[in-house]
Amino acid sequence: MEQSIHSDYGLVLIGGSAGSLHVIMEMLKNIHFSLNFPVVIVVHRKPYSTSVLPVLLQQFTEIEVIEIEDKTDLLPNRIYIAPADYHLLFEDTKTVSLDSSEKMNYSRPSIDVTFRSAAEIFGLNLVTVLLSGANSDGTEGLKYVKTNGGKIWIQNPETAEVDYMPRMALEQVDYDLVFNPNELAELLRNLKR
């Protein structure tokens, strides 16, 4: 029987680049509860990266970690990883597709592209999280998320291994929350309430 999404939030979308992986691993280690929504992670990777990232992340959580394929269906209580060298787009609240159009901000997947696509589909029911990184990818997407009513959480740049990405977003976006990495799992737990 297919699970349905029973949460005010239909999706948590996490974007990051250099320095973001340890924040994601810390989050996964501390999720000792089920999620009423899917979590999708978009991190910059080398174009021809092998699919070891889901295997690596799976070591830190009991929740199933899945690398997205074209037309993957999203289910609650799953962690999804965008594959290397594709933009990730949302077709509706349950289905994603992959796109190989030009890089944005020198990146594919582009956080901006995915944030914007999710904002159009999920509107108020979207929570976006921006982590450590060395370029400004994500900032324009976050502006679109805010316009569509979604929530914006940004990693405290002082805790980021590379602070450029969160610092640029803080300077340009009307955000909802600045968090420290050790708070992220608890913030996700609070979305269930």
Side-chain angles (χ1 to χ4, degrees):
M1 185 169 136
E2 185 174 302
Q3 292 177 276
S4 60
I5 297 172
H6 300 289
S7 173
D8 289 341
Y9 293 100
L11 177 71
V12 172
L13 181 54
I14 299 174
S17 188
S20 64
L21 199 53
H22 81 274
V23 178
I24 293 167
M25 290 187 290
E26 180 74 18
M27 173 194 76
L28 294 176
K29 283 185 210 173
N30 292 298
I31 296 180
H32 306 295
F33 48 87
S34 62
L35 300 167
N36 292 355
F37 42 80
V39 174
V40 174
I41 298 172
V42 179
V43 292
H44 295 162
R45 295 196 274 170
K46 292 180 180 176
Y48 302 107
S49 297
T50 57
S51 299
V52 297
L53 185 58
V55 176
L56 171 70
L57 297 181
Q58 188 67 74
Q59 298 176 50
F60 298 98
T61 181
E62 296 293 318
I63 298 174
E64 187 176 5
V65 178
I66 302 161
E67 184 162 80
I68 289 175
E69 297 178 357
D70 196 37
K71 310 301 180 191
T72 292
D73 286 334
L74 301 179
L75 295 171
N77 204 35
R78 304 283 193 285
I79 308 287
Y80 296 92
I81 311 292
D85 209 28
Y86 290 97
H87 294 305
L88 177 64
L89 302 170
F90 292 83
E91 294 187 354
D92 53 42
T93 58
K94 289 186 172 185
T95 308
V96 293
S97 61
L98 301 179
D99 178 90
S100 60
S101 59
E102 288 187 29
K103 293 181 179 180
M104 298 286 292
N105 298 310
Y106 310 101
S107 304
R108 191 174 50 217
S110 161
I111 299 166
D112 276 338
V113 168
T114 303
F115 278 4
R116 186 178 178 100
S117 175
E120 291 175 351
I121 298 295
F122 288 92
L124 296 167
N125 299 318
L126 175 65
V127 175
T128 48
V129 181
L130 190 68
L131 303 177
S132 174
N135 72 20
S136 63
D137 193 22
T139 296
E140 291 305 313
L142 288 177
K143 291 176 183 175
Y144 203 74
V145 169
K146 180 53 77 175
T147 300
N148 285 272
K151 297 285 186 211
I152 296 171
W153 300 350
I154 300 173
Q155 182 181 354
N156 181 347
E158 294 181 7
T159 68
E161 190 174 317
V162 183
D163 70 358
Y164 190 82
M165 184 178 283
R167 193 170 299 285
M168 291 303 293
L170 285 175
E171 290 175 1
Q172 299 182 41
V173 177
D174 181 16
Y175 55 89
D176 296 286
L177 178 72
V178 176
F179 67 93
N180 295 324
N182 63 349
E183 300 169 327
L184 188 52
E186 187 63 23
L187 288 167
L188 294 181
R189 178 199 294 272
N190 290 338
L191 290 178
K192 295 172 61 177
R193 299 178 181 151

mmCIF file of all heavy atoms in Angstrom, residues 10 33 50 59 68 74 78 86-87 105 113 119 123 135 140 142 154 165 176 181 185 187 193:
data_model
loop_
_atom_site.group_PDB
_atom_site.id
_atom_site.type_symbol
_atom_site.label_atom_id
_atom_site.label_comp_id
_atom_site.label_asym_id
_atom_site.label_seq_id
_atom_site.Cartn_x
_atom_site.Cartn_y
_atom_site.Cartn_z
ATOM 1 N N GLY A 10 5.152 19.294 2.785
ATOM 2 C CA GLY A 10 5.178 18.225 1.814
ATOM 3 C C GLY A 10 6.570 17.799 1.427
ATOM 4 O O GLY A 10 6.772 16.704 0.911
ATOM 5 N N PHE A 33 13.757 9.176 14.425
ATOM 6 C CA PHE A 33 12.299 9.275 14.374
ATOM 7 C C PHE A 33 11.906 9.177 12.909
ATOM 8 O O PHE A 33 12.734 9.357 12.022
ATOM 9 C CB PHE A 33 11.825 10.605 14.984
ATOM 10 C CG PHE A 33 12.590 11.802 14.477
ATOM 11 C CD1 PHE A 33 12.205 12.452 13.321
ATOM 12 C CD2 PHE A 33 13.723 12.265 15.150
ATOM 13 C CE1 PHE A 33 12.909 13.552 12.848
ATOM 14 C CE2 PHE A 33 14.431 13.371 14.681
ATOM 15 C CZ PHE A 33 14.030 14.017 13.529
ATOM 16 N N THR A 50 30.550 8.523 -9.201
ATOM 17 C CA THR A 50 29.805 7.276 -9.081
ATOM 18 C C THR A 50 28.773 7.433 -7.977
ATOM 19 O O THR A 50 28.773 8.409 -7.240
ATOM 20 C CB THR A 50 30.751 6.105 -8.750
ATOM 21 O OG1 THR A 50 31.449 6.429 -7.548
ATOM 22 C CG2 THR A 50 31.727 5.871 -9.877
ATOM 23 N N GLN A 59 24.905 4.672 5.827
ATOM 24 C CA GLN A 59 25.576 4.174 7.033
ATOM 25 C C GLN A 59 25.179 4.956 8.279
ATOM 26 O O GLN A 59 25.405 4.482 9.390
ATOM 27 C CB GLN A 59 27.093 4.275 6.862
ATOM 28 C CG GLN A 59 27.643 3.444 5.740
ATOM 29 C CD GLN A 59 29.125 3.680 5.573
ATOM 30 O OE1 GLN A 59 29.888 3.616 6.531
ATOM 31 N NE2 GLN A 59 29.533 3.968 4.351
ATOM 32 N N ILE A 68 18.094 9.431 -6.767
ATOM 33 C CA ILE A 68 16.946 9.671 -7.649
ATOM 34 C C ILE A 68 17.262 9.256 -9.082
ATOM 35 O O ILE A 68 18.354 9.503 -9.592
ATOM 36 C CB ILE A 68 16.550 11.158 -7.591
ATOM 37 C CG1 ILE A 68 15.922 11.457 -6.228
ATOM 38 C CG2 ILE A 68 15.628 11.540 -8.733
ATOM 39 C CD1 ILE A 68 15.611 12.918 -6.006
ATOM 40 N N LEU A 74 8.291 10.168 -4.961
ATOM 41 C CA LEU A 74 8.720 10.552 -3.619
ATOM 42 C C LEU A 74 7.741 10.030 -2.580
ATOM 43 O O LEU A 74 6.529 10.155 -2.748
ATOM 44 C CB LEU A 74 8.795 12.076 -3.508
ATOM 45 C CG LEU A 74 9.742 12.787 -4.476
ATOM 46 C CD1 LEU A 74 9.668 14.292 -4.249
ATOM 47 C CD2 LEU A 74 11.166 12.287 -4.301
ATOM 48 N N ARG A 78 11.746 8.988 3.572
ATOM 49 C CA ARG A 78 12.841 8.568 2.684
ATOM 50 C C ARG A 78 13.770 9.772 2.492
ATOM 51 O O ARG A 78 13.326 10.913 2.497
ATOM 52 C CB ARG A 78 12.336 8.157 1.299
ATOM 53 C CG ARG A 78 11.306 7.072 1.269
ATOM 54 C CD ARG A 78 11.900 5.697 1.498
ATOM 55 N NE ARG A 78 10.973 4.627 1.185
ATOM 56 C CZ ARG A 78 9.931 4.252 1.926
ATOM 57 N NH1 ARG A 78 9.656 4.899 3.041
ATOM 58 N NH2 ARG A 78 9.156 3.254 1.564
ATOM 59 N N TYR A 86 22.936 16.085 -13.378
ATOM 60 C CA TYR A 86 21.552 16.334 -13.828
ATOM 61 C C TYR A 86 20.915 17.391 -12.935
ATOM 62 O O TYR A 86 21.135 17.383 -11.726
ATOM 63 C CB TYR A 86 20.691 15.070 -13.743
ATOM 64 C CG TYR A 86 21.051 14.014 -14.741
ATOM 65 C CD1 TYR A 86 21.888 12.965 -14.390
ATOM 66 C CD2 TYR A 86 20.548 14.067 -16.041
ATOM 67 C CE1 TYR A 86 22.225 11.985 -15.305
ATOM 68 C CE2 TYR A 86 20.877 13.092 -16.966
ATOM 69 C CZ TYR A 86 21.719 12.053 -16.595
ATOM 70 O OH TYR A 86 22.054 11.092 -17.504
ATOM 71 N N HIS A 87 20.131 18.252 -13.549
ATOM 72 C CA HIS A 87 19.266 19.122 -12.749
ATOM 73 C C HIS A 87 18.062 18.298 -12.301
ATOM 74 O O HIS A 87 17.575 17.426 -13.027
ATOM 75 C CB HIS A 87 18.772 20.309 -13.580
ATOM 76 C CG HIS A 87 19.854 21.250 -13.990
ATOM 77 N ND1 HIS A 87 20.707 21.837 -13.088
ATOM 78 C CD2 HIS A 87 20.217 21.698 -15.219
ATOM 79 C CE1 HIS A 87 21.549 22.624 -13.729
ATOM 80 N NE2 HIS A 87 21.276 22.548 -15.027
ATOM 81 N N ASN A 105 25.312 28.437 -12.463
ATOM 82 C CA ASN A 105 26.329 28.682 -11.432
ATOM 83 C C ASN A 105 27.436 27.626 -11.500
ATOM 84 O O ASN A 105 27.908 27.157 -10.460
ATOM 85 C CB ASN A 105 25.701 28.705 -10.030
ATOM 86 C CG ASN A 105 24.685 29.799 -9.866
ATOM 87 O OD1 ASN A 105 24.962 30.946 -10.194
ATOM 88 N ND2 ASN A 105 23.507 29.453 -9.393
ATOM 89 N N VAL A 113 18.020 25.849 -9.538
ATOM 90 C CA VAL A 113 17.037 25.218 -10.419
ATOM 91 C C VAL A 113 16.070 24.356 -9.606
ATOM 92 O O VAL A 113 14.844 24.414 -9.784
ATOM 93 C CB VAL A 113 17.753 24.377 -11.501
ATOM 94 C CG1 VAL A 113 16.765 23.482 -12.237
ATOM 95 C CG2 VAL A 113 18.482 25.294 -12.483
ATOM 96 N N ALA A 119 9.540 25.195 -5.402
ATOM 97 C CA ALA A 119 8.698 26.301 -4.935
ATOM 98 C C ALA A 119 7.412 26.392 -5.747
ATOM 99 O O ALA A 119 6.337 26.658 -5.209
ATOM 100 C CB ALA A 119 9.469 27.616 -5.023
ATOM 101 N N GLY A 123 4.897 25.346 -2.900
ATOM 102 C CA GLY A 123 4.454 26.609 -2.324
ATOM 103 C C GLY A 123 4.683 26.692 -0.830
ATOM 104 O O GLY A 123 5.807 26.557 -0.352
ATOM 105 N N ASN A 135 30.033 28.855 -3.735
ATOM 106 C CA ASN A 135 29.494 29.817 -4.695
ATOM 107 C C ASN A 135 28.100 30.233 -4.253
ATOM 108 O O ASN A 135 27.628 29.819 -3.198
ATOM 109 C CB ASN A 135 29.538 29.277 -6.129
ATOM 110 C CG ASN A 135 28.526 28.191 -6.396
ATOM 111 O OD1 ASN A 135 27.536 28.030 -5.690
ATOM 112 N ND2 ASN A 135 28.760 27.412 -7.444
ATOM 113 N N GLU A 140 19.269 32.659 -5.518
ATOM 114 C CA GLU A 140 18.148 33.050 -6.383
ATOM 115 C C GLU A 140 16.957 32.115 -6.195
ATOM 116 O O GLU A 140 15.801 32.546 -6.193
ATOM 117 C CB GLU A 140 18.589 33.077 -7.853
ATOM 118 C CG GLU A 140 19.562 34.203 -8.176
ATOM 119 C CD GLU A 140 19.035 35.578 -7.800
ATOM 120 O OE1 GLU A 140 17.870 35.883 -8.118
ATOM 121 O OE2 GLU A 140 19.794 36.336 -7.172
ATOM 122 N N LEU A 142 16.175 30.539 -3.458
ATOM 123 C CA LEU A 142 15.551 30.862 -2.171
ATOM 124 C C LEU A 142 14.637 32.078 -2.287
ATOM 125 O O LEU A 142 13.583 32.128 -1.644
ATOM 126 C CB LEU A 142 16.623 31.104 -1.107
ATOM 127 C CG LEU A 142 17.388 29.875 -0.625
ATOM 128 C CD1 LEU A 142 18.478 30.283 0.366
ATOM 129 C CD2 LEU A 142 16.460 28.839 0.001
ATOM 130 N N ILE A 154 18.869 28.674 6.843
ATOM 131 C CA ILE A 154 20.232 28.831 6.332
ATOM 132 C C ILE A 154 21.223 28.482 7.440
ATOM 133 O O ILE A 154 21.074 28.930 8.584
ATOM 134 C CB ILE A 154 20.466 30.276 5.834
ATOM 135 C CG1 ILE A 154 19.481 30.600 4.698
ATOM 136 C CG2 ILE A 154 21.915 30.459 5.368
ATOM 137 C CD1 ILE A 154 19.506 32.052 4.255
ATOM 138 N N MET A 165 28.446 30.434 0.492
ATOM 139 C CA MET A 165 27.065 30.154 0.070
ATOM 140 C C MET A 165 26.041 30.621 1.113
ATOM 141 O O MET A 165 25.119 31.376 0.774
ATOM 142 C CB MET A 165 26.906 28.672 -0.252
ATOM 143 C CG MET A 165 25.541 28.291 -0.799
ATOM 144 S SD MET A 165 25.428 26.524 -1.212
ATOM 145 C CE MET A 165 26.340 26.495 -2.755
ATOM 146 N N ASP A 176 13.902 32.595 7.205
ATOM 147 C CA ASP A 176 13.105 32.327 8.406
ATOM 148 C C ASP A 176 13.961 31.938 9.601
ATOM 149 O O ASP A 176 13.572 32.170 10.737
ATOM 150 C CB ASP A 176 12.110 31.189 8.117
ATOM 151 C CG ASP A 176 11.121 31.593 7.065
ATOM 152 O OD1 ASP A 176 10.226 32.391 7.369
ATOM 153 O OD2 ASP A 176 11.256 31.132 5.913
ATOM 154 N N PRO A 181 24.617 23.341 12.759
ATOM 155 C CA PRO A 181 24.461 21.972 12.255
ATOM 156 C C PRO A 181 23.879 20.990 13.271
ATOM 157 O O PRO A 181 23.086 20.119 12.910
ATOM 158 C CB PRO A 181 25.896 21.580 11.877
ATOM 159 C CG PRO A 181 26.517 22.874 11.475
ATOM 160 C CD PRO A 181 25.945 23.890 12.429
ATOM 161 N N ALA A 185 18.592 18.144 12.887
ATOM 162 C CA ALA A 185 17.702 16.988 13.080
ATOM 163 C C ALA A 185 16.513 17.370 13.952
ATOM 164 O O ALA A 185 15.369 16.987 13.666
ATOM 165 C CB ALA A 185 18.476 15.828 13.701
ATOM 166 N N LEU A 187 15.183 20.280 14.319
ATOM 167 C CA LEU A 187 14.297 21.145 13.537
ATOM 168 C C LEU A 187 13.378 20.306 12.639
ATOM 169 O O LEU A 187 12.195 20.618 12.485
ATOM 170 C CB LEU A 187 15.131 22.109 12.687
ATOM 171 C CG LEU A 187 15.836 23.221 13.468
ATOM 172 C CD1 LEU A 187 16.881 23.911 12.583
ATOM 173 C CD2 LEU A 187 14.823 24.233 13.983
ATOM 174 N N ARG A 193 5.109 18.334 14.211
ATOM 175 C CA ARG A 193 4.110 18.766 15.203
ATOM 176 C C ARG A 193 3.067 19.668 14.592
ATOM 177 O O ARG A 193 3.274 20.289 13.609
ATOM 178 C CB ARG A 193 4.806 19.441 16.373
ATOM 179 C CG ARG A 193 5.744 18.484 17.063
ATOM 180 C CD ARG A 193 6.465 19.148 18.190
ATOM 181 N NE ARG A 193 7.360 18.163 18.791
ATOM 182 C CZ ARG A 193 8.498 18.466 19.398
ATOM 183 N NH1 ARG A 193 8.874 19.697 19.496
ATOM 184 N NH2 ARG A 193 9.246 17.532 19.920
#
